Amino acid sequence: MAGGIKQIRRRFKTKTTTWLTLAIVLVVIITVLQGLHQYMLSCLDKNMETYGKSRHYTVTHRNNLKEYHSKQFTDILVQRVLNSSMIDATGQYRIIQNFLRSQRAQRHEEALHEVTLVTHGSASVLRHLVLLSRQWKGPISVSVFATTDNLLATMAAARNLHLCYATIRENVTFHLVYPLHNEVANFSALDTYLYQHNCDKLLPKISLTNATNYMGGTEYPVNLMRNIASRTVGTDFIFIVDIDLMPNKNLHESFLSFARKNNLFDNTSDDKTLYIVPTFEMQEGIRMPNDKQELVLRLENLDIQPFYYKVCWNCQKLTDYDAWQNEASPLNSTKVLYEVQWQHPYEPFFIGRKSIPLYDERFKQYGYNRVSQVCHLHVAGYRFVVLSNVFLVHQGIKNNLDFHVNKKQEHERNLMLYNNFRNEIIKKYPDSTRSCYMT
């Protein structure tokens, strides 16, 4: 009997050793494959950088896209998509970070003591990047959403904008996101989108692309998009905005000057202050105001009004637009005017440190996607202060009739999610005396 037990033990030990050896071999193989994958991606990066320095990539006159088309450049972009193995936490979306990097990023000139404008959108709204990259002189990180039907058109739109506009080429880095189940096997048709128009006709073509935020059969993962564009940023500060919000022309330089003057880059102990940029909306077709003085004149003429004034005034009114408008300080300086005590459903646009909590990616489509993050920041102990002389402007007056058909249903669904989210955040910070409910 004892001998039988010993024999069983020996067999068990042999099998255990065999499985352990097999497991170790598998771990080694996986590690090697991961290393090989990273090496291939780094080679692609080096190829892109080398190509970025070539004569084909630095020509200044770009009236005709066909003339400056390069198969090498396009092949690199296609390989970035094919070789990407990154997916989101839910396993629903494929992510291609740094799908197309700015020349600033390729030269490794994105300084730590900087602020990056972070935004997102589908192909049809990428036209806003032309004005946005002219108004904002610093780095821009944009995540672009595509579906099977428009993946090639979206890739081409990013590439064509990159080639046609110097400010986009210099400062804008594109990231690509599309549903994982919507794989595209044939990229040969990509050339059709690259050759069919020149730079002068590019923006109308992009605007007609069948890819619009919040519309169509595929849900738009709005908070995932914001997080993807934020994660790759290497600067101290980020400024997350919607792609159709335009900063005043000197906002980037004004904040950098303000940050240096107040030692924000050197003193990282104050990492829980958020700098609110007052936001407005104006009639379409009106020229963007250059500074606060011109903006105030437009306010008095009723050409401009506070953002969301007719749609959700409670979402913006705590900015105290009257106090901001009446404050008289030199236009060439930026300072903190006053602190705002947050209350639901206030959702300002602000500049904050890159370390701020990410957006909750469960929120998709319309409703409560931004205020959920602001609620999180409030409970976590962040403070909100309003800056002088800087602003954002949305082209077009927001109206309830302008929203897509399913907005009401999405709003109700996300309200249920938001109510659960508020309870989760309160539990996450048990020592906090703050909440996200109306006081």
Side-chain angles (χ1 to χ4, degrees):
M1 182 70 177
I5 293 176
K6 289 181 179 179
Q7 188 175 6
I8 291 172
R9 285 177 177 173
R10 280 197 300 270
R11 289 179 180 176
F12 179 76
K13 185 176 180 180
T14 302
K15 288 183 178 180
T16 302
T17 303
T18 302
W19 282 110
L20 182 60
T21 303
L22 180 61
I24 293 173
V25 170
L26 287 174
V27 169
V28 171
I29 292 173
I30 291 171
T31 302
V32 171
L33 288 175
Q34 287 179 335
L36 181 61
H37 179 252
Q38 291 299 320
Y39 172 75
M40 291 174 66
L41 290 179
S42 67
C43 288
L44 282 173
D45 284 339
K46 289 179 180 178
N47 286 341
M48 184 67 89
E49 289 176 23
T50 302
Y51 183 63
K53 296 173 183 176
S54 73
R55 60 184 180 86
H56 300 291
Y57 194 59
T58 55
V59 288
T60 55
H61 179 67
R62 302 178 183 273
N63 185 54
N64 194 317
L65 277 178
K66 183 175 181 180
E67 182 181 352
Y68 299 109
H69 173 76
S70 167
K71 190 175 187 304
Q72 180 189 5
F73 184 30
T74 304
D75 286 348
I76 288 174
L77 297 182
V78 170
Q79 288 303 314
R80 284 187 183 277
V81 176
L82 294 176
N83 291 332
S84 174
S85 60
M86 182 179 293
I87 60 174
D88 75 308
T90 67
Q92 293 180 279
Y93 303 98
R94 183 175 296 281
I95 301 166
I96 299 91
Q97 289 187 164
N98 298 316
F99 166 70
L100 181 50
R101 293 196 300 161
S102 68
Q103 286 189 335
R104 174 198 290 256
Q106 291 178 43
R107 296 192 304 265
H108 305 290
E109 290 181 2
E110 289 191 338
L112 183 65
H113 296 344
E114 250 284 8
V115 54
T116 300
L117 188 145
V118 173
T119 191
H120 62 94
S122 300
S124 62
V125 297
L126 292 182
R127 67 187 186 277
H128 293 296
L129 288 174
V130 177
L131 179 58
L132 187 60
S133 62
R134 291 171 182 167
Q135 294 290 116
W136 181 265
K137 301 300 193 304
I140 298 174
S141 177
V142 55
S143 57
V144 188
F145 186 70
T147 63
T148 297
D149 295 338
N150 55 57
L151 177 58
L152 298 183
T154 300
M155 292 171 61
R159 175 203 180 278
N160 292 344
L161 285 167
H162 179 88
L163 289 179
C164 284
Y165 295 94
T167 52
I168 293 177
R169 190 164 57 253
E170 175 64 20
N171 289 324
V172 179
T173 291
F174 293 87
H175 317 283
L176 190 60
V177 181
Y178 63 94
L180 190 62
H181 59 82
N182 290 345
E183 296 290 350
V184 175
N186 181 17
F187 284 89
S188 61
L190 184 59
D191 285 348
T192 304
Y193 296 94
L194 300 178
Y195 279 103
Q196 66 184 0
H197 47 260
N198 59 31
C199 289
D200 294 333
K201 298 179 180 179
L202 177 60
L203 295 187
K205 289 283 186 179
I206 289 177
S207 299
L208 293 175
T209 303
N210 183 25
T212 306
N213 295 6
Y214 309 110
M215 297 178 68
T218 304
E219 287 188 324
Y220 185 76
V222 54
N223 279 356
L224 171 66
M225 301 297 287
R226 290 174 173 136
N227 287 345
I228 290 168
S230 300
R231 286 180 185 135
T232 58
V233 170
T235 58
D236 282 338
F237 287 89
I238 56 176
F239 185 25
I240 305 176
V241 301
D242 294 341
I243 199 168
D244 54 0
L245 288 173
M246 298 299 144
N248 65 286
K249 202 155 194 175
N250 295 320
L251 199 160
H252 172 255
E253 295 84 351
S254 296
F255 183 80
L256 289 183
S257 177
F258 163 80
R260 295 188 193 103
K261 183 178 180 181
N262 291 276
N263 297 317
L264 298 185
F265 294 125
D266 299 322
N267 180 16
T268 58
S269 59
D270 180 18
D271 61 350
K272 287 196 170 184
T273 299
L274 305 169
Y275 302 93
I276 294 173
V277 177
T279 307
F280 300 84
E281 55 190 20
M282 68 181 183
Q283 299 287 349
E284 289 192 53
I286 297 178
R287 184 176 57 83
M288 176 80 183
N290 289 319
D291 53 32
K292 179 181 176 180
Q293 184 177 13
E294 187 176 345
L295 178 116
V296 169
L297 288 175
R298 303 273 187 88
L299 283 168
E300 294 172 351
N301 292 335
L302 304 181
D303 294 330
I304 289 180
Q305 65 185 27
F307 188 61
Y308 262 34
Y309 186 70
K310 294 180 180 179
V311 175
C312 183
W313 180 225
N314 286 335
C315 297
Q316 297 295 322
K317 71 177 184 180
L318 289 182
T319 299
D320 197 345
Y321 287 88
D322 289 337
W324 183 87
Q325 179 179 342
N326 294 328
E327 190 276 335
S329 61
L331 294 178
N332 60 355
S333 67
T334 300
K335 65 180 182 180
V336 171
L337 294 183
Y338 44 84
E339 184 171 351
V340 173
Q341 300 303 317
W342 186 86
Q343 293 181 19
H344 174 80
Y346 185 47
E347 50 178 22
F349 294 95
F350 54 82
I351 298 173
R353 292 193 182 274
K354 186 186 180 260
S355 57
I356 63 174
L358 294 171
Y359 287 80
D360 191 302
E361 295 176 4
R362 292 175 295 179
F363 289 90
K364 299 177 181 179
Q365 292 291 103
Y366 183 85
Y368 299 94
N369 49 72
R370 280 202 309 115
V371 74
S372 57
Q373 193 225 20
V374 182
C375 149
H376 187 170
L377 295 168
H378 169 68
V379 175
Y382 284 77
R383 58 192 289 261
F384 299 83
V385 298
V386 178
L387 294 177
S388 68
N389 295 326
V390 294
F391 55 87
L392 289 164
V393 178
H394 178 270
Q395 282 206 335
I397 302 296
K398 288 283 188 178
N399 190 301
N400 281 316
L401 298 177
D402 297 333
F403 289 91
H404 56 287
V405 177
N406 296 326
K407 176 218 170 190
K408 183 178 180 181
Q409 295 93 315
E410 295 164 6
H411 194 272
E412 291 174 351
R413 181 192 64 186
N414 280 347
L415 174 58
M416 296 175 61
L417 176 57
Y418 180 60
N419 287 332
N420 293 330
F421 173 83
R422 289 192 285 195
N423 293 330
E424 293 170 2
I425 290 301
I426 291 172
K427 291 178 182 178
K428 184 174 182 178
Y429 300 93
D431 298 330
S432 177
T433 59
R434 302 177 175 185
S435 77
C436 295
Y437 292 92
M438 293 289 288
T439 56

